[in-house]
Amino acid sequence: MDDKMPARRRTSDLTSGPIPRTLLLFALPVLGSNVLQSLNGSINAVWVGRFLGEAALTATSNANLVLFLILGVGIGMAATILVAQSVGARDLPEARRIVGTSATFFFLVSVVFAVCGWIWVDTILNALGTPADALPLARSYLRIIFLAVPMMNLLSFVMTVLRGAGDSRTPFLFMALAVVLDVILNPLLILGIGPFPELGIAGSATSTLIGQTVSVLAILIVLYARKHPLRLAGANLALLRPDPALLRIVVFKGVPMGLQMIVVSSAALTVMGMVNAYGSQVAAAYGIAAQLWTYIQMPALAIGAAVSSMAAQNVGAGRWDRIGRIAASGVGFNLVLTGVLVALLFVFDRAVLSLFLSSDSAAIDIATHINKVASWSFILFGITIVLFATVRATGAVMPPLIILVISVLLVRTSFAYFFRSAIGEEALWWSFPAGSITSLVLATAYYRFGRWRSVHMIESRPAAGEPPDTGLGVPRQRAHLSPETPTG
């Protein structure tokens, strides 16, 4: 049977049907995965904060920022766009080539990160200005987390590729498995309950390692048992050897997307370094506030991921008539969902914060103030995320990176640094609205007036004399890719 013809039946089609309903149904499992991930981090923070104290909580906050930086590698995101465009064009052999090349390279990069992180863990934590009382705890925690990085990245890669193929339900189920294992094992390994050893803060990291490893092995077993069309088996295992030409395309587009995450992470690390200068109490308050912000941002991130996959499939299918409506639906959902969460946080923030810290801790007052100053700005940043997801679906990746460099790395960190002399630590909290307003203005201007619509896409039928396009702006002949299947 021809690989291209049954693509609609064997992968989920995002190129037809009512856009708001299709987008929402696709986004809900992504949102569920994000909820589980954030809930996992928050519950682990409760265990650490309650059992081991504020210094240990500060240690995990610093370590988790480093982890977010490492997980920001963009190869997976670039592969997802290419896979989605290939699925939209009904070209499954091309999608498998992308999966094979990307998976091998992505895993090897993860191993390099893990090894380098293990070796230079003290240098990393010192560069953050981690408080002295939290440094030994952060070191113990982060070293085990580095061991988990390859499996965490592999699980993330498999889930994003499945979403590119239109399946958001399977990633949700296996994220749930990883979270359940992590949450259950966390207190057992921290306190040494029953047959488990007492590992302290290292137990929290070990539970993460176990949960991620079991989940990624389980999802691979299930995909092969179901004979998923994007699995690599038999002769297709040769596709795990990276194709240099295809790898150049993936890296060329993936690096700017990865740098976008690194820019956000770097800004967060810079602000954390400034926060640490005010001591463990303020650092703990900021760390907990940041935990709550992950929940606020979840709808926008989920909608952005759904918009990216849906728009990319429509780009591959040549359905440009749907792209603008996909973006508009994403912005609308973000305004409603993120706005509701911000309102709830304004009302119930003190009650939620008391879960992490004792009720008489001064850090609760600090964290409450931080939320009131900064949390509303994530509504604006959510719109930016949706607009970025739309333009990235065509392969336009440099303008979003430049916008983030300006708004997040320059405006936010500069505001926090230079205004400290005038308004003290308030500058740290107000830097978030300053960055979000800047990014929204610039992103809206690029979406409205930029040339992202002219970036090459997978065309269902190339014009006479024009080579089929790879989906990210490099014609197949010029990229020296195998002409194994046409894209029409």
Side-chain angles (χ1 to χ4, degrees), residues 109-352:
V109 168
S110 301
V111 171
V112 171
F113 272 125
V115 172
C116 292
W118 174 275
I119 294 172
W120 292 312
V121 62
D122 285 340
T123 302
I124 294 169
L125 292 173
N126 287 327
L128 282 179
T130 304
D133 57 345
L135 186 59
L137 295 169
R139 180 190 302 115
S140 298
Y141 180 86
L142 194 53
R143 275 191 165 155
I144 295 176
I145 287 295
F146 277 127
L147 294 178
V149 162
M151 288 301 174
M152 296 174 77
N153 270 334
L154 183 57
L155 178 61
S156 175
F157 175 78
V158 173
M159 291 194 303
T160 55
V161 165
L162 289 176
R163 288 169 184 157
D167 178 8
S168 60
R169 183 174 176 271
T170 301
F172 167 74
L173 296 176
F174 287 91
M175 176 55 66
L177 174 61
V179 169
V180 168
L181 289 174
D182 195 352
V183 168
I184 292 175
L185 292 174
N186 221 279
L188 301 180
L189 291 170
I190 289 176
L191 300 176
I193 297 174
F196 297 94
E198 182 178 353
L199 300 178
I201 195 170
S204 180
T206 302
S207 67
T208 299
L209 170 62
I210 294 172
Q212 296 287 316
T213 302
V214 171
S215 187
V216 73
L217 293 176
I219 194 172
L220 290 174
I221 290 172
V222 168
L223 292 178
Y224 274 83
R226 292 177 178 176
K227 297 184 178 180
H228 191 278
L230 295 186
R231 80 193 190 287
L232 302 181
N236 284 327
L237 286 174
L239 299 176
L240 287 171
R241 176 176 295 178
D243 180 304
L246 181 56
L247 183 58
R248 283 196 297 271
I249 300 172
V250 172
V251 172
F252 179 73
K253 295 297 180 179
V255 167
M257 283 190 276
L259 288 176
Q260 291 173 34
M261 301 296 292
I262 291 173
V263 164
V264 174
S265 301
S266 299
L269 292 173
T270 301
V271 172
M272 176 61 83
M274 298 182 201
V275 170
N276 285 335
Y278 291 93
S280 289
Q281 197 168 71
V282 174
Y286 175 73
I288 294 304
Q291 282 276 345
L292 298 182
W293 294 344
T294 62
Y295 288 97
I296 292 176
Q297 295 179 86
M298 283 189 300
L301 293 172
I303 293 165
V307 165
S308 182
S309 295
M310 190 172 181
Q313 279 203 19
N314 281 271
V315 166
R319 293 298 309 271
W320 278 96
D321 56 303
R322 292 166 57 88
I323 303 299
R325 288 180 289 157
I326 292 170
S329 296
V331 169
F333 284 133
N334 169 73
L335 288 174
V336 173
L337 297 176
T338 306
V340 168
L341 289 181
V342 169
L344 289 174
L345 183 59
F346 265 77
V347 175
F348 299 110
D349 59 349
R350 184 171 292 274
V352 175

Side-chain angles (χ1 to χ4, degrees), residues 14-67:
L14 303 178
T15 63
S16 60
I19 288 173
R21 180 178 180 274
T22 302
L23 180 63
L24 182 61
L25 291 179
F26 186 83
L28 285 176
V30 182
L31 178 59
S33 297
N34 291 347
V35 169
L36 288 174
Q37 265 186 309
S38 296
L39 187 63
N40 184 29
S42 297
I43 292 175
N44 291 351
V46 170
W47 296 134
V48 171
R50 291 282 185 174
F51 297 149
L52 302 175
E54 288 184 0
L57 192 59
T58 300
T60 58
S61 296
N62 279 258
N64 286 335
L65 281 175
V66 177
L67 180 61

Side-chain angles (χ1 to χ4, degrees), residues 405-424:
V405 169
I406 294 171
S407 62
V408 175
L409 195 57
L410 297 181
V411 173
R412 180 188 295 176
T413 58
S414 296
F415 188 100
Y417 182 80
F418 290 109
F419 279 88
R420 284 188 304 169
S421 59
I423 57 177

